[in-house]
């Protein structure tokens, strides 16, 4: 690219490619900040050409506009239609949730307001004019703002610099309009002979509404939309959703059936060219974020150029500021998009739970949000779910066989690497005892190994000697005596090829530094975990039989020690997990090859353990629901694995992910593993334990009440606060049987007072 970033002066000649809301608002702000700037906007379409109909803006975005440009804010205020309710209509029932606070206006009117503001400030607007290439503009302008949308030519021309990643999704949708105003944001589900379809509708002025019809690709084809012209498609949609539309028709605005594409870029600027809005990133329309993100990009870009002495510094800060916000929004949008793609799995939920599930699909709206916005609606969902009066969902009881859990919180298994010769000591007593006193319904041990060779590290605990069994009995007895009502579970496993490594804080998964201290490792196939790890020995059939016996011997000891639940560890690349994955199991005998053959040994171990484990005590299985690696296990496989274990008597599936191969590429984020648990629960029909970056009691309430999980396992929060569950009860004002404070701690059961937290200052404030 010819242009170079100014090293000494801020941008004075600015070219904007694209006359949508983001480009226009950026031009207006940049001109207002410095009237001496020469700013030109190129837009290849006419001033009144636009796609879609209505635009929804959040109060947060409007607040930013109000502080940065009161004139634009005042013009918008005069145009907005506002409403508070969301209606969910499914199987003839309508559920309404209020208190949400929406503001919308027509997209064409928004463009008129921004065009007028630009003209009033002296911005040069060039409509029906194709912008010169960004490389050409960058040579004669100090800054080029590429606001040229999801099909950005700028991004495509310089893909090597921006590093775009574009993912096309599975649903088809079409933007339409109705000639009346809905009185709420309406979601309506239609179960047709071709499959499920959904309508998203909202008003954008006093007399019109946006209507989006969406469905899976296979439903779209089965219904004949692939072969129909647009007018016939529109008429068919109007008939399918006649009740929602009151028998009225639908209108088009250059409408076409589309598939949504998520756009992510490695970099947002190159030289003096910067991407904003859909050119830089997209987020699914179901959370109404496209225009919002573009406007907020414009605000941040203008502010950074105002605050920094050079364009180079400003563009760097703009991306640093906006990228985390956009990434968070895209995670929420992906969750919402995926929910609608998989809508069919939730159709048979109880009606109020279905509505709550839809409302909380993106995780931006939570149980606590809804309780504040519409307590009546939230209480009706809780009653249908079975929450006793005044009881948050997380404190409702749950039963697995003969084990009654007083709440839905699990202390996740966490390796402590603090045993001596496999014997748990005082540290384990205090660690597990403290978390049992802290109120969780179920406290899980770390992975307890079935043999010395099955340990991960020299500090890992075992259950292959009577001395170890006696130590575990001491811990289980303490939990039962001092925290009656809390269950204690044992996670049983074998390290496989990931054994004989250092303690976590000395180098996780790294081989022991002393060669003489290493022990031989085994696996289904002779494949190293990492290049520096040992080459494992492929297990022979007699060795497989011996390991099964080690598991059953440990299970017998666990039963005698008094554990309430036993979990078989078939995740994270340890021995049983490595049988399941095609990336780690290359056997050619009866224990390798097909998915059924790879399941054979883990199921044999499960059956052997279940046979010796007391009938009234539950067994769970932890699995990695995806390997996060090409060619490995994925969500479809996870459902099949869960069904197989459930058919053999597993009472619940503990759903984790990854750690199977070193080259994995996880998609981290809040509650990032929960969708896998959700899918298993609602497709395989087996209870699940969800794990993975669940960090707040509000998350637990939301996930349980929405029917995405039965139990929530939290690890790091319980390291931060051993009394996390009791504190969650205190913060919610709950003092029932689901969270019982030990008598010596009752004086601390009320939440301490805190100081005032001031609200953040506006991002950009300019004089009127």
């Amino acid at each position: 690219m010819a242009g170079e970033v100014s090293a000494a002066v801020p941008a004075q000649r600015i070219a904007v490619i694209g006359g949508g809301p983001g480009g226009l608002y950026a031009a207006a702000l940049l001109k207002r900040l410095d009237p001496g700037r020469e700013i030109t906007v190129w837009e290849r379409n006419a001033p009144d050409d636009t796609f879609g109909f209505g635009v929804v803006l959040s109060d947060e975005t409007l607040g930013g506009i109000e502080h940065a440009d009161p004139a634009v804010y005042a013009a918008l205020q005069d145009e907005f239609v506002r409403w508070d309710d969301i209606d969910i209509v499914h199987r003839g029932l309508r559920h309404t949730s209020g208190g949400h606070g929406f503001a919308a206006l027509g997209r064409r009117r928004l463009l008129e307001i921004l065009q007028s503001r630009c003209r009033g400030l002296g911005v040069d607007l060039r409509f029906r004019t194709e912008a010169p290439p960004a490389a050409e503009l960058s040579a004669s302008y100090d800054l080029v703002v590429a606001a040229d949308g999801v099909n950005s030519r700028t991004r495509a021309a310089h893909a090597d610099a921006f590093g775009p990643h574009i993912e096309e999704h599975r649903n088809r949708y079409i933007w339409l309009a109705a000639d009346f105003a809905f009185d709420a944001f309406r979601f309506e589900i239609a179960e047709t002979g071709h499959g499920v379809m959904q309508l998203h509708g909202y008003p954008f002025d006093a007399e019109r509404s946006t209507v989006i019809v969406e469905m899976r690709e296979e439903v779209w084809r089965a219904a004949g939309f692939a072969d129909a012209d647009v007018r016939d498609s529109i008429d068919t949609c109007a008939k399918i959703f006649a009740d929602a539309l009151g028998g009225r028709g639908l209108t088009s605005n250059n409408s076409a059936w589309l598939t949504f594409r998520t756009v992510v870029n490695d970099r947002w600027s190159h030289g003096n060219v910067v991407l904003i809005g859909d050119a830089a990133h997209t987020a699914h329309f179901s959370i109404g974020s496209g225009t919002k993100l573009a406007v907020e990009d414009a605000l941040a870009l203008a502010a950074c150029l105002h605050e920094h002495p050079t364009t180079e510094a400003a563009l760097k800060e703009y991306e640093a500021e906006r990228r985390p916000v956009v990434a968070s929004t895209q995670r929420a949008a992906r969750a919402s998009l995926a929910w609608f793609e998989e809508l069919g799995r939730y159709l048979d939920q109880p009606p109020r739970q279905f509505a709550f599930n839809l409302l909380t699909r993106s995780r931006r709206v939570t149980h606590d949000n809804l309780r504040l916005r519409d307590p009546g609606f939230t209480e009706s969902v809780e009653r249908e779910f079975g929450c006793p009066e005044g009881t948050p969902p997380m404190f409702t009881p749950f039963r697995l066989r003969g084990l009654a859990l007083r709440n839905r919180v699990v202390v996740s298994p966490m390796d402590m690497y603090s045993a001596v010769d496999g014997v748990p000591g005082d540290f384990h007593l205090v660690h597990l005892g403290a978390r049992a006193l802290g109120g969780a319904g179920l406290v899980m041990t770390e992975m307890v190994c079935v043999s010395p060779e099955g340990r991960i590290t020299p500090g890992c605990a075992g259950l292959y000697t009577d001395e170890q069994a006696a130590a575990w009995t001491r811990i289980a007895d303490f939990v039962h005596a001092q925290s009656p009502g809390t269950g204690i579970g044992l996670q049983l496993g074998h390290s496989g090829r990931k054994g004989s490594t250092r303690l976590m804080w000395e180098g996780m998964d790294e081989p022991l530094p002393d060669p003489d201290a290493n022990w031989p490792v085994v696996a289904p196939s002779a494949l190293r975990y990492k290049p520096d790890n040992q080459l494992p020995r492929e297990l022979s059939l007699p060795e497989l039989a011996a390991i099964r016996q080690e598991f059953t011997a440990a299970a017998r000891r666990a039963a005698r020690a008094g554990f309430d639940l036993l979990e078989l560890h078939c995740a994270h690349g340890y021995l049983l997990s490595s049988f399941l994955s095609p990336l780690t199991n290359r056997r050619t005998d009866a224990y390798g090859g097909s998915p059924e053959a790879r399941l054979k040994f883990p199921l044999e171990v499960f059956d052997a353990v279940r046979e010796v484990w007391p009938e009234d005590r539950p067994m769970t299985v932890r699995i990695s629901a995806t390997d996060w690696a090409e060619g490995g296990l994925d969500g479809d496989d996870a459902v099949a694995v869960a069904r197989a274990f459930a058919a053999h008597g597993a009472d619940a599936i503990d759903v984790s992910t990854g750690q199977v191969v070193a080259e994995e590429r996880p998609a981290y984020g809040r509650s990032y593993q929960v969708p896998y648990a959700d899918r298993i629960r609602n497709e395989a029909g087996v209870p699940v334990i969800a794990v993975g970056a669940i960090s707040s009691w509000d998350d637990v309430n939301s996930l349980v009440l929405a029917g995405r999980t039965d139990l929530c396992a939290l690890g790091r929060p319980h390291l931060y606060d051993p009394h996390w569950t009791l504190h969650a009860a205190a913060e919610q004002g709950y003092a029932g049987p689901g969270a019982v404070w030990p008598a010596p701690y009752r004086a601390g059961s009320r939440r301490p007072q805190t100081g005032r937290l001031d609200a953040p200052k506006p991002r950009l404030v300019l004089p009127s």
Side-chain angles (χ1 to χ4, degrees):
M1 195 169 291
E4 296 294 335
V5 173
S6 169
V9 295
Q12 291 301 307
R13 297 190 74 234
I14 300 174
V16 180
I17 304 174
L24 291 170
Y25 193 49
L29 285 174
L30 290 166
K31 187 71 171 176
R32 185 162 182 261
L33 280 165
D34 185 348
R37 284 177 170 140
E38 176 190 330
I39 301 179
T40 305
V41 178
W42 281 268
E43 171 53 55
R44 61 182 176 177
N45 295 314
D48 58 351
D49 284 347
T50 183
F51 72 91
F53 296 92
V55 173
V56 179
L57 295 176
S58 69
D59 289 342
E60 178 186 15
T61 305
L62 293 175
I65 294 173
E66 180 181 14
H67 291 293
D69 196 332
V72 169
Y73 179 77
L76 293 174
Q77 283 288 87
D78 292 340
E79 301 289 337
F80 275 129
V81 56
R82 294 182 177 273
W83 73 99
D84 290 324
D85 290 349
I86 298 175
D87 285 346
I88 297 102
V89 182
H90 174 43
R91 292 182 175 172
L93 296 174
R94 181 173 72 174
H95 296 285
T96 300
S97 172
H100 295 277
F102 295 103
L105 77 164
R107 183 178 175 87
R108 185 169 290 158
R109 182 63 186 128
L110 172 62
L111 292 175
E112 290 171 354
I113 290 170
L114 294 175
Q115 291 165 9
S116 175
R117 183 59 170 155
C118 284
R119 291 191 185 97
L121 291 167
V123 174
D124 181 6
L125 301 180
R126 302 183 183 181
F127 292 102
R128 301 184 180 89
T129 305
E130 195 73 54
E136 180 181 325
L137 291 172
S138 68
S140 53
Y141 284 82
D142 300 314
L143 176 68
V144 179
V145 179
D148 47 350
V150 65
N151 298 311
S152 171
R153 295 185 179 184
T154 306
R155 185 186 66 228
H158 304 284
D160 56 337
F162 294 117
H165 306 275
I166 300 174
E167 180 183 0
E168 191 160 317
H169 298 282
R170 293 191 289 180
N171 276 13
R172 290 275 183 168
Y173 67 96
I174 188 168
W175 288 85
L176 303 167
D179 60 356
F180 71 98
F182 284 117
D183 57 4
F185 205 130
R186 187 180 182 104
F187 295 99
E188 181 145 344
I189 313 304
E191 295 177 74
T192 75
H194 307 292
V196 64
M197 306 177 187
Q198 57 262 20
L199 174 148
H200 313 238
Y202 59 88
F204 64 87
D205 64 27
E207 298 177 348
R208 291 177 296 172
S209 297
T210 291
V211 173
I212 305 169
V213 176
E214 183 185 19
M215 66 200 72
R216 289 280 288 263
E217 170 85 14
E218 60 268 25
V219 177
W220 179 76
R221 291 190 178 279
F225 289 121
D227 301 318
D229 62 29
V230 172
R231 185 65 257 169
D232 287 342
S233 288
I234 294 170
D235 291 343
T236 300
C237 289
K239 292 175 183 175
I240 291 170
F241 292 102
D243 288 345
L245 301 171
R248 303 174 181 86
L250 292 166
T251 59
S252 167
N253 178 16
N254 300 317
S255 301
W257 288 102
L258 305 169
T259 54
F260 189 80
R261 290 182 293 164
T262 295
V263 175
V264 176
N265 284 279
D266 293 336
R267 291 165 296 281
W268 294 358
S269 65
H270 173 56
N272 60 351
V273 178
V274 62
L275 305 177
I276 70 169
D278 283 354
H281 44 70
T282 61
H284 193 248
F285 59 82
S286 61
I287 65 169
S289 57
T291 301
K292 164 183 156 57
L293 287 177
V295 167
E296 291 175 350
D297 282 354
L299 277 164
L301 178 62
C304 290
L305 287 163
H306 184 62
E307 294 164 351
H308 292 273
T310 67
T311 303
E312 180 179 18
L315 297 187
K316 182 178 180 180
E317 182 59 29
Y318 156 71
E319 183 168 345
E321 177 181 325
R322 289 294 295 157
R323 186 175 284 280
V325 177
V326 168
S328 175
T329 301
Q330 287 189 312
R331 284 193 295 271
R334 281 177 178 272
S336 179
L337 175 156
W339 195 94
F340 283 110
E341 285 186 339
E342 303 297 342
L343 174 61
R345 75 169 58 135
Y346 305 115
L347 294 176
D348 293 328
Q349 283 190 318
R352 290 181 177 84
Q353 185 177 64
F354 177 88
F356 180 86
N357 196 354
L358 187 153
L359 292 171
T360 59
R361 67 196 180 277
S362 73
R363 302 191 292 273
R364 285 289 179 90
V365 177
T366 66
H367 172 265
D368 202 40
N369 296 149
L370 285 174
R371 189 169 55 85
L372 293 172
R373 298 179 190 191
D374 191 340
F377 169 79
T378 307
E379 288 168 6
S380 72
V381 180
E382 291 171 347
R383 283 195 302 272
E384 183 185 73
F385 181 76
C387 298
E389 186 175 355
T391 300
M394 66 183 291
F395 293 113
T396 55
F398 189 72
R399 178 175 289 274
L400 290 169
R401 292 204 186 207
L403 178 61
L405 300 175
R406 62 187 176 193
N407 61 54
R408 305 301 183 99
V409 179
V410 179
V411 176
S412 196
M414 294 175 283
D415 287 319
M416 294 290 107
Y417 308 104
S418 300
V420 178
D421 293 328
V423 179
D426 289 346
F427 178 88
H428 295 81
L429 175 67
V430 173
H431 166 68
L432 294 169
R435 278 133 193 96
L437 292 172
L442 176 65
V443 176
M444 293 297 300
T445 70
E446 61 196 86
M447 184 178 93
V448 175
C449 305
V450 298
S451 66
E453 297 77 22
R455 292 175 298 161
I456 307 166
T457 75
C460 286
L463 194 46
Y464 45 85
T465 71
D466 291 342
E467 183 184 5
Q468 294 162 356
W472 284 119
T473 301
R474 175 184 178 222
I475 293 169
D477 287 348
F478 177 90
V479 171
H480 292 144
Q482 300 300 325
S483 186
T486 295
I488 180 165
L490 178 101
Q491 187 185 71
L492 203 58
H494 187 297
S495 60
R497 69 176 187 156
K498 294 177 73 175
S500 192
T501 58
R502 305 182 192 192
L503 305 183
M504 180 181 65
W505 48 86
E506 294 176 353
M508 187 172 177
D509 294 326
E510 296 296 326
L512 295 173
D514 180 1
D516 294 333
N518 283 281
W519 57 85
V521 296
V522 296
S525 301
L527 300 169
R528 299 179 196 271
Y529 179 63
K530 293 194 298 187
D532 292 340
N533 290 113
Q534 283 189 62
L535 180 67
R537 183 179 72 255
E538 181 172 312
L539 286 162
S540 66
L541 296 183
E543 288 173 322
L544 293 178
I547 288 175
R548 279 198 304 273
Q549 291 176 358
E550 290 171 348
F551 271 94
T552 57
R556 287 191 178 95
R557 288 190 174 98
R560 291 195 296 269
F563 284 100
D564 303 300
L565 174 147
L566 188 145
E567 179 167 283
L568 195 63
H569 201 337
C570 297
H572 299 169
Y574 298 123
L575 182 63
L576 299 181
S577 169
S578 61
F579 270 90
L580 295 172
S581 173
L583 299 179
T584 51
N585 184 345
R586 306 286 176 81
R587 298 176 74 97
T588 58
D589 63 3
Y591 293 99
S594 69
E596 295 76 18
R598 297 197 308 273
L599 263 164
K600 183 176 173 60
F601 183 64
L603 288 174
E604 286 180 354
V605 173
F606 180 91
D607 290 343
V609 171
R610 181 69 266 182
E611 186 175 349
V612 303
W613 186 245
E615 178 65 24
D616 63 332
R617 300 189 209 178
M619 272 189 67
T620 62
V621 179
R622 173 168 276 207
I623 66 170
S624 285
T626 176
D627 291 344
W628 298 115
E630 187 175 353
L633 295 179
D634 60 17
D636 291 340
D637 299 312
V639 173
V641 168
R643 283 182 171 139
F645 278 112
H648 282 246
D651 299 290
I653 305 297
D654 188 354
V655 187
S656 186
T657 64
Q659 302 180 52
V660 175
V661 292
E663 60 271 23
E664 67 177 3
R665 295 177 62 87
Y668 292 119
R670 175 176 161 226
S671 307
Y672 71 104
Q673 296 176 143
V674 170
Y676 295 95
D678 180 350
R679 181 175 180 184
I680 288 170
R681 184 184 191 273
N682 287 290
E683 288 189 18
V686 58
V688 297
I689 305 169
V691 304
I694 302 169
S695 56
S696 73
W697 50 258
D698 195 17
D699 284 341
V700 177
N701 282 329
S702 301
L703 296 171
V704 169
L705 191 58
R708 296 177 193 148
T709 188
D710 299 283
L711 300 167
C712 287
L714 299 93
R716 289 177 177 86
H718 281 115
L719 295 180
Y720 180 77
D721 178 6
H723 292 83
W724 185 89
T725 307
L726 293 179
H727 292 157
E731 290 169 13
Q732 296 176 79
Y734 172 73
V740 178
W741 285 75
Y745 290 174
R746 285 177 190 160
S749 62
R750 296 167 68 180
R751 186 179 185 181
Q753 294 182 350
T754 58
R756 176 185 172 188
L757 297 175
D758 291 326
K761 296 178 181 179
R763 180 64 189 86
L764 179 63
V765 181
L766 297 176
S768 301

